[in-house]
Amino acid sequence: MKGRTKRSTTQGATMRRNTERIQRASTRQMENILNKITIQTAQDLNTRKKNTPLSNLIAMTHYSRPTISLYEGIKNGSGIIAEHKRQSPSKGSFGCLVTLQEVMQGYEKAGASAISCLTDHPFFGGSLEDLIATRKQINIPVLRKDFMIDSYQIHESKAYGADAILLIAACLNNEELKSMSLEAWDIGLEILFEVHDLEELNRIKEITASFDTSKYIIGVNNRDLKRFQTDIQNSKDLLPHFPQGVLAISESGISNPEVVKELKTLGFQGFLIGENFMKAENPGTSCEQFIKSIQS
């Protein structure tokens, strides 16, 4: 009996050590993915800067276009930010056969408050051309979703038709977050600050303490950047720590209208949903059915 107990204990310890190794390897891999994305973003950005000087961006038609408020769109509409993305690092291609034009028009017709357009190409299959094409198709706010690391991208976003930009706390330090926010507001863009944990949320609270709360939104990304797994509980855990009066949205891992209803009762007003729609045969129809379900 003692022998079997000893062997069982040893096997259990071995299994735990193996599980820990797998978890550590997974964490390193996901951290590497974020690192790879930002490195690639910087490389691609340097090329774009050489090919298209800032003066060229400022001369583009959309740069002088009055923007549409993302904040007002979410506050006064369905709250759904419907996203267009062709693929993701964790899931690969979604195999959507519907054109960008059909997706965007379908989202607007469905009653989406805003559109999120992914412009990263190497990892998500998007482009700046997607952004400008989106702007031409719809009359609701457009969020440029990308990995913002340089103020050039802010002006680029305005020039290609965005109304708001994404600033990811995990990718920027406090000084960068503040300076890029001020630069975005200076040219009429609004901001979605994205956080993944309490430390990041506290950083955003610190830098936005004196900011106009109608010019920005804070979103909780339910996808853990280290494990690339989604958990709605992340939104529930962080909401009580939000600054008072700030519009809160939940991002990623949302596929059930009942989850949206629950999060609404807790205080969330916006919901960014992409994969759930993009993997459907017709994303616009999927979005329409989803919005009808949360309003019923």
Side-chain angles (χ1 to χ4, degrees):
M1 176 68 81
K2 289 183 179 179
R4 286 197 297 270
T5 302
K6 185 176 182 180
R7 284 195 297 273
S8 177
T9 302
T10 302
Q11 289 171 353
T14 301
M15 289 177 65
R16 286 195 296 273
R17 286 196 297 272
N18 287 341
T19 299
E20 289 170 359
R21 290 191 187 99
I22 292 170
Q23 289 174 341
R24 288 196 297 270
S26 177
T27 297
R28 288 194 297 270
Q29 181 182 9
M30 292 310 127
E31 287 175 341
N32 286 341
I33 287 177
L34 182 60
N35 190 43
K36 286 177 182 178
I37 291 174
T38 53
I39 290 173
Q40 186 64 54
T41 296
Q43 293 173 347
D44 294 344
L45 182 57
N46 286 337
T47 300
R48 295 202 304 276
K49 278 183 172 182
K50 291 177 183 178
N51 294 337
T52 309
L54 183 59
S55 57
N56 289 23
L57 294 176
I58 295 173
M60 291 175 67
T61 302
H62 286 306
Y63 195 90
S64 58
R65 176 188 64 87
T67 51
I68 308 170
S69 174
L70 176 65
Y71 177 93
E72 293 297 331
I74 294 172
K75 187 176 180 180
N76 300 317
S78 65
I80 299 298
I81 306 173
E83 185 166 88
H84 179 273
K85 63 178 179 180
R86 295 182 175 86
Q87 63 190 48
S88 78
S90 58
K91 299 291 179 65
S93 174
F94 298 127
C96 182
L97 301 178
V98 181
T99 67
L100 180 139
Q101 177 181 347
E102 291 172 313
V103 171
M104 297 309 183
Q105 291 178 346
Y107 281 162
E108 183 173 27
K109 182 181 176 182
S113 285
I115 299 294
S116 170
C117 183
L118 262 156
T119 56
D120 171 88
H121 179 70
F123 297 92
F124 292 92
S127 69
L128 284 166
E129 286 67 34
D130 287 346
L131 181 60
I132 203 165
T134 296
R135 177 74 278 158
K136 290 178 180 179
Q137 300 299 328
I138 60 172
N139 295 301
I140 55 177
V142 178
L143 166 73
R144 180 191 178 184
K145 196 175 180 190
D146 208 322
F147 295 80
M148 300 287 175
I149 56 173
D150 189 286
S151 62
Y152 177 90
Q153 291 167 288
I154 297 170
H155 298 276
E156 192 177 53
S157 301
K158 184 72 186 296
Y160 279 84
D163 299 292
I165 59 170
L166 178 74
L167 294 182
I168 304 173
C171 294
L172 301 164
N173 61 38
N174 286 15
E175 183 179 345
E176 291 168 331
L177 284 165
K178 190 165 187 175
S179 64
M180 291 177 75
S181 300
L182 295 174
E183 190 149 2
W185 288 327
D186 189 53
I187 60 173
L189 296 174
E190 292 182 11
I191 296 165
L192 167 58
F193 291 109
E194 180 176 286
V195 302
H196 299 83
D197 55 38
L198 184 56
E199 185 273 332
E200 292 177 2
L201 177 56
N202 285 335
R203 287 175 54 213
I204 297 299
K205 287 167 68 174
E206 179 184 341
I207 70 160
T208 61
S210 61
F211 289 172
D212 181 350
T213 55
S214 68
K215 298 295 183 183
Y216 70 93
I217 296 161
I218 299 178
V220 177
N221 193 330
N222 300 308
R223 178 169 287 111
D224 186 328
L225 286 182
K226 293 181 179 179
R227 295 176 297 156
F228 252 55
Q229 296 175 351
T230 55
D231 188 349
I232 299 299
Q233 188 62 41
N234 200 38
S235 285
K236 298 177 183 179
D237 291 343
L238 290 184
L239 186 62
H241 302 280
F242 265 58
Q244 191 170 2
V246 171
L247 194 152
I249 76 167
S250 181
E251 313 170 38
S252 301
I254 300 173
S255 59
N256 188 336
E258 295 304 314
V259 170
V260 170
K261 291 180 181 180
E262 180 187 5
L263 292 175
K264 276 191 171 186
T265 64
L266 298 178
F268 282 96
Q269 292 178 265
F271 310 90
L272 195 151
I273 305 173
E275 180 180 328
N276 185 62
F277 298 150
M278 291 302 298
K279 67 184 182 182
E281 184 176 344
N282 188 317
T285 301
S286 177
C287 181
E288 182 177 16
Q289 293 169 346
F290 194 95
I291 290 175
K292 285 180 178 178
S293 294
I294 64 174
Q295 293 176 340
S296 62

